[in-house]
Structure formats: C-alpha cells, structure tokens
Amino acid sequence: MAKPRVFITRVILEKGLGLIRDFCDMDLWIDGLPPPRQVLLERVRGVDGLLCLLTDPIDGEAMDAAGPQLKVISNHAVGFDNIAVAEATRRGIPVGNTPGILTDATADLTFALLMAAARRVVEAERFVRAGLWKTWSPALLLGADVAGATLGLVGFGRIGQAVAKRATGFGMRILYHDPSAGPLPGIPAERTDLETLLKESDFVSLHVPLNSGTRHLMNGRNFSLMKPTAILVNTARGQVVDPVALHAALKEKRIFAAALDVSDPEPLPMDSPLLELENLIILPHIGSASRTSRERMSLMAAENLIAGLKGERLPNCVNPEVYRV
Ligand code: DGY
C-alpha cells in the first residue's frame, strides 16, 4: 500500500524524523531557512500531512494549495499563531501542537534572562572583553535585587506557573494576571488586574499566547505604568510587545531593562535601533532549546502527524472541535 505523502518544512531532531520516515513518503525541506512562500505552496500540493514550524505561515491559501486530501497539520511548537486554526477547523483538519514538554526549558530560560538583566550579566561580560575592567569598584555595574522582589506574570498557564515555582525559591512576591487561570496550589501567587501588576512589579514576565487580544499588549501606555527600576522579560511571542514603545521606554530609561527571547520581527534586523541599547538583552528564540525538550517536541509533532494520517485523534490537538460531528 502506498505510504501517506507528507511535507516537513525543516529538519527536526531524529527521534521524530525517524518515525515519520518509517511511516510516510516524506518530502523534507533540508535548507536551514524556512521554505520561501512559493516553494511552500508548491511542495504542499497533494500531501496528506504537513509538519511545520512557527516560522511557516499556514493560512487558507496554503491549505487550498495542499488540496482537499490534507488530513493533518502538525506544528512543531506549543504556540500556533502561525496557523489559521479557524480555517483548518472549517475544512475539518485537526491541528497538532507540542504542549507541556517545553514548559521547564522555557521557564528556566525565563529565569536566566530575568537574572541576567537584573545583574547586567551580558553588559558586564562585554565590559570585561572590551578591556574596561581596571579594578574592583563599589558602584560598578549596579543591578537590581532578585531575592524578595515582586514578579508580575502576565499569563499564568503552564509556563507562567513554572516560572512562579522558580520564583518562590528566591523569596519573590508573585502577582499574576490571567483572566482564565485560577490559583496554583502551594504557590502563593496573588491574582491582580494588569494595571496593578504593572505598577507593583519589579519584574514583568510575559507568558500569553499571541492573538488579537495580546498583540502589542505592552504598548506605550502600559510601559508608562511600570516602575523606572522595572525589568521586562519576554519569552512568549515578539508581537506581544510594541517594539517602538519598547525602544522609547528603554532609551528614555522609563524602565530599567528588558530581556527578550522573542522579537518583532524575528530575526531582528541588524539595523534595528533596539540593538543599540545597552539595557536590552536579546536571544534568538531559544526558550525550548534544551536537548530533551527539542527531542520530545520532534517526537510529539511526529506522533500528532501520524495519528492524523491514520485518521486517529491527535494526542495534542488545538482544535478538538473538528472531532464533533
Ligand atoms: C513554541 O513552542 O511555541 C516556542 O516558541 C518554540 O519552541
């Protein structure tokens, strides 16, 4: 019997890729950069399944290009803002994602960024390498205290809660804003409105999905509510922060610093004014980039893909309403 045809938009880790290779007739895009739009539209033609990354916009046009036989779209990410899920649902196509397995890796990186920004680790390292370190000095590179500070979590889902658990070890006061998440047993976190959180927090960390309600949530008004000593951490999605407002807030020292794993756009162009700022740390979207997490992501994405091809329910489906007939 002919194997189902699939297009995989990038080389993922072998754990998942091996499964797909065994089960499918696999067309694999081996370039390090995402397939250009036209190439994507051509390569999806006639496939039964598509495994894509957060860098691949999968909209109605891409689904039409694939054709009516398309049975499943599997995203190699927990976030799925790159996929027009409503369009997929309308066509009865289940969409898979990879929740849970990258929670700890992303929470660890959030904390690494929080601490690096607080204690100016990246700036201090640059200082040494530039040959500027002449002596120990009482006021050299003074930063913010982490222990006992107030942490405001915007979004209190899996990753926000995992960051809260880490923060308790530092004796932090924890506030969270999330209309849909309740308290977490054993974690003394207080629920607040966004305004109170922004006004009272020493660290504001973003953990919301990107959607029409969260795009540019951190805008000029919301930056103006933050303390001048506060630090913004974003490991969610770049577009949750308005980059122009962020630049102004950092440049005019309306906040102390920002530490980002994600940006708008990605990658940040080399002539972005944000890259000129000393009080900004920027990483290339590596929140889930631990060996175990990426292995598990590849496996989970492959399992979602294969389940969809077999006509089985996806183990992790973002639009389960496709199964309600
Ligand atoms: C995700 O999974 O959504 C992260 O942004 C990348 O792992």
Side-chain angles (χ1 to χ4, degrees):
M1 208 176 81
K3 288 180 170 180
R5 281 186 55 209
V6 295
F7 181 49
I8 317 295
T9 63
R10 211 83 62 79
V11 179
I12 61 170
L13 294 199
E14 185 52 34
K15 266 238 154 71
L17 205 55
L19 268 192
I20 299 170
R21 199 181 290 112
D22 290 347
F23 188 78
C24 304
D25 172 5
M26 173 172 86
D27 177 14
L28 176 64
W29 178 254
I30 54 169
D31 205 288
L33 293 177
R37 181 71 180 168
Q38 273 316 312
V39 174
L40 178 97
L41 295 179
E42 279 157 29
R43 301 282 275 266
V44 294
R45 189 159 302 136
V47 298
D48 302 296
L50 170 64
L51 188 147
C52 51
L53 270 57
L54 55 85
T55 46
D56 307 309
I58 307 298
D59 52 10
E61 186 190 25
M63 295 173 208
D64 285 343
Q69 76 299 324
L70 182 66
K71 287 193 188 64
V72 56
I73 300 171
S74 172
N75 210 31
H76 182 271
V78 63
F80 46 85
D81 47 278
N82 57 311
I83 299 178
V85 175
E87 280 292 324
T89 307
R90 206 168 58 75
R91 292 166 164 82
I93 304 170
V95 175
N97 72 336
T98 62
I101 49 186
L102 46 80
T103 301
D104 282 324
T106 309
D108 288 347
L109 190 85
T110 303
F111 232 85
L113 280 173
L114 182 155
M115 298 199 64
R119 299 302 304 273
R120 302 170 68 178
V121 171
V122 176
E123 205 183 329
E125 212 259 357
R126 278 199 294 260
F127 178 87
V128 174
R129 286 183 192 269
L132 297 171
W133 185 23
K134 304 297 178 205
T135 182
W136 188 90
S137 188
L140 178 65
L141 287 158
L142 296 184
D145 291 293
V146 175
T150 298
L151 169 64
L153 297 164
V154 181
F156 202 55
R158 276 181 292 258
I159 298 174
Q161 292 181 4
V163 173
K165 282 187 193 148
R166 285 152 178 77
T168 57
F170 286 80
M172 296 179 95
R173 173 183 173 227
I174 303 164
L175 304 178
Y176 72 93
H177 172 68
D178 189 329
S180 58
L184 183 62
I187 302 289
E190 293 163 50
R191 186 181 201 153
T192 65
D193 56 88
L194 183 60
E195 190 164 328
T196 308
L197 181 146
L198 294 171
K199 282 182 179 161
E200 294 191 9
S201 297
D202 301 301
F203 298 89
V204 173
S205 189
L206 305 177
H207 301 286
V208 286
L210 176 65
N211 54 44
S212 54
T214 60
R215 184 166 281 111
H216 288 191
L217 176 72
M218 288 308 299
N219 51 24
R221 180 182 177 273
N222 281 340
F223 279 119
S224 73
L225 296 174
M226 289 172 67
K227 299 180 185 180
T229 49
I231 291 173
L232 176 79
V233 180
N234 187 9
T235 54
R237 283 292 184 265
Q239 288 178 44
V240 177
V241 177
D242 173 350
V244 176
L246 173 66
H247 181 263
L250 288 170
K251 182 141 184 150
E252 292 158 22
K253 305 267 160 48
R254 282 189 268 124
I255 63 171
F256 181 65
L260 313 177
D261 182 41
V262 290
S263 61
D264 177 19
E266 282 183 16
L268 214 49
M270 286 313 290
D271 61 357
S272 164
L274 283 169
L275 294 178
E276 290 162 15
L277 300 171
E278 280 291 353
N279 53 350
L280 175 89
I281 298 175
I282 170 93
L283 302 181
H285 202 149
I286 55 167
S288 62
S290 76
R291 277 187 290 274
T292 322
S293 288
R294 287 285 165 86
E295 263 187 3
R296 290 183 179 157
M297 282 169 76
S298 76
L299 203 56
M300 195 177 263
E303 285 166 355
N304 281 331
L305 180 75
I306 292 170
L309 292 169
K310 287 180 173 166
E312 293 168 3
R313 197 182 174 100
L314 309 198
N316 290 284
C317 185
V318 305
N319 58 344
E321 55 277 19
V322 289
Y323 298 115
R324 274 179 232 131
V325 220

